Amino acid sequence: MRRHNLGEKLSSIFQLLGAEAQDIIDWAQQEARRTKDSGESSQDFGKATYQLLGREAAIRLVQQNHRRGRLTTKNEVRLRTGLKIEMPVLYREAGVRHPQEARNLRHNLFHESFVALITKLFPAVSTSVPSTGQGSLSPDLLVTNIDPDWSFVVEYKGYRSITLLSESEILKGMRYQAEYGTAWLVTSSTKSVRGVYGRTLKSEEVVKQGLNRLRNITKRRAYTEEQRENRGIARKGITHLEKQKDLKIRCKLISAEELLESCRTGAPMKGLSITTGMEFIDMLTEEGFDQEAEHVLKIMKMPARSLHSDTVTSVRLIE
């Protein structure tokens, strides 16, 4: 009890449960005993009871904070209940949609669409989620072929966008290329960077262009909530790019067609491929993946709060 401060945690849990605490304790004990007797759970009675109480308290914490207009963090849940819980799952149980759900859903829709495409084009490939990368970076997908032996990494950038792909994402793709040799950045952007940077990407040039673009955004007057949000995003982007001023890397910008053709010959071209949303949709449609193409189009057109799917999970990232 003392080692894990369970006394304080229980007091916090009872405070969150309020007047219904005793009824919930009785229910938790009955449920813990039932799952143990039926073989549904191998946990001891005390631990199972504690976790049931903590989860119910965490749900009420989310609901209370939501009524006050506050976001509940994983750290707050851990401090108040002692439990580690996936926040989108907890929010779903509390009847509230977690902001991360939209990001998870966009990523998962992109993931399923891309995996369907690449396994149709190359039936022998295997796909996996890399656990290590350069520094704190890990790409979203590793595509590997055995005979002949080749591989490349993929990063998804799916968001509602009518603008150029952000410079931060281009730099991320360049870092993946430097680490893995061949990288493919699949985006929902409607505008290509090829007309801006040409065939060779230089990190110094990308940072300079990005800083100029973002500083112009921060100087504009903001009248609407969306404009104020964009200014805030721009300020964060400036901070991120300024940290990468000393990044000295360059790479060749290649098309998806060049990358795929080189894979067919058994040796993926060294470089970074960047695909726009409409280009990705065309590739999916050509291979008969109409539903996946529709998913990508929804990501491009619909606000995060309106995006949903009956077939793809949004409470966690697909791995």
Side-chain angles (χ1 to χ4, degrees):
M1 290 284 287
R2 284 193 298 270
R3 180 183 175 186
H4 297 287
N5 294 324
L6 291 185
E8 295 178 13
K9 297 291 191 301
L10 281 171
S11 296
S12 174
I13 287 171
F14 295 153
Q15 183 181 12
L16 289 168
L17 297 178
E20 298 177 294
Q22 188 58 56
D23 291 338
I24 297 171
I25 291 171
D26 294 340
W27 163 79
Q29 290 177 330
Q30 292 173 5
E31 183 65 13
R33 189 171 289 110
R34 182 192 67 78
T35 56
K36 186 169 181 63
D37 292 345
S38 65
E40 294 178 31
S41 173
S42 59
Q43 287 183 335
D44 61 69
F45 174 75
K47 185 174 183 179
T49 302
Y50 179 87
Q51 290 193 338
L52 287 167
L53 291 173
R55 198 165 195 96
E56 182 63 29
I59 289 171
R60 293 174 182 237
L61 175 62
V62 169
Q63 292 170 338
Q64 288 176 14
N65 284 342
H66 183 68
R67 286 194 293 269
R68 297 168 185 163
R70 288 185 54 213
L71 184 68
T72 306
T73 65
K74 183 182 291 188
N75 190 50
E76 183 181 9
V77 171
R78 185 179 59 80
L79 290 174
R80 297 291 299 272
T81 70
L83 300 183
K84 294 180 180 179
I85 305 176
E86 287 188 72
M87 295 310 294
V89 176
L90 178 61
Y91 264 64
R92 179 70 62 87
E93 293 175 353
V96 182
R97 193 179 194 196
H98 192 273
Q100 189 178 337
E101 271 203 68
R103 173 187 173 273
N104 288 350
L105 181 56
R106 291 194 303 266
H107 176 280
N108 291 345
L109 288 171
F110 251 61
H111 173 80
E112 294 212 338
S113 299
F114 184 83
V115 169
L117 175 66
I118 203 66
T119 52
K120 172 79 177 292
L121 295 173
F122 302 98
V125 300
S126 62
T127 60
S128 61
V129 179
S131 58
T132 58
Q134 186 182 48
S136 60
L137 284 173
S138 293
D140 289 324
L141 193 71
L142 174 64
V143 178
T144 306
N145 195 74
I146 301 300
D147 186 21
D149 183 19
W150 55 260
S151 66
F152 62 83
V153 293
V154 186
E155 179 76 6
Y156 314 123
K157 184 57 180 175
Y159 56 104
R160 182 177 177 233
S161 174
I162 57 174
T163 62
L164 193 68
L165 181 68
S166 76
E167 289 77 14
S168 292
E169 296 301 327
I170 297 173
L171 290 172
K172 185 188 291 186
M174 294 175 68
R175 292 173 67 182
Y176 289 145
Q177 190 279 325
E179 175 74 7
Y180 293 94
T182 304
W184 191 353
L185 185 56
V186 186
T187 83
S188 56
S189 175
T190 58
K191 296 183 180 180
S192 172
V193 300
R194 284 189 286 274
V196 178
Y197 296 105
R199 290 284 288 184
T200 302
L201 291 170
K202 303 174 184 177
S203 58
E204 305 97 311
E205 185 180 347
V206 173
V207 170
K208 182 180 178 180
Q209 293 253 23
L211 289 174
N212 289 338
R213 183 178 67 84
L214 295 174
R215 283 167 180 158
N216 287 334
I217 293 175
T218 61
K219 292 175 183 177
R220 297 172 189 163
R221 292 180 180 273
Y223 299 101
T224 66
E225 183 178 345
E226 184 175 359
Q227 288 171 338
R228 286 190 290 271
E229 183 179 342
N230 287 339
R231 286 182 63 177
I233 293 172
R235 282 192 289 268
K236 288 183 180 179
I238 289 171
T239 301
H240 184 260
L241 289 178
E242 285 179 336
K243 290 179 181 178
Q244 302 189 75
K245 277 185 175 180
D246 297 328
L247 188 65
K248 304 290 185 182
I249 57 175
R250 63 173 59 194
C251 70
K252 188 176 183 180
L253 186 61
I254 60 178
S255 67
E257 291 76 15
E258 289 175 313
L259 172 57
L260 293 174
E261 185 57 36
S262 64
C263 289
R264 292 187 185 99
T265 63
M269 288 182 67
K270 302 297 183 184
L272 172 64
S273 177
I274 301 177
T275 299
T276 67
M278 295 312 301
E279 290 169 343
F280 188 33
I281 288 171
D282 287 343
M283 295 173 70
L284 290 168
T285 303
E286 287 174 10
E287 296 300 327
F289 295 113
D290 294 335
Q291 184 179 11
E292 287 78 3
E294 182 64 26
H295 287 165
V296 175
L297 187 60
K298 283 183 179 179
I299 292 171
M300 295 173 66
K301 295 173 65 176
M302 295 178 67
R305 65 178 70 89
S306 303
L307 190 64
H308 72 278
S309 173
D310 296 326
T311 57
V312 180
T313 181
S314 61
V315 295
R316 58 178 60 87
L317 294 177
I318 294 175
E319 296 185 358

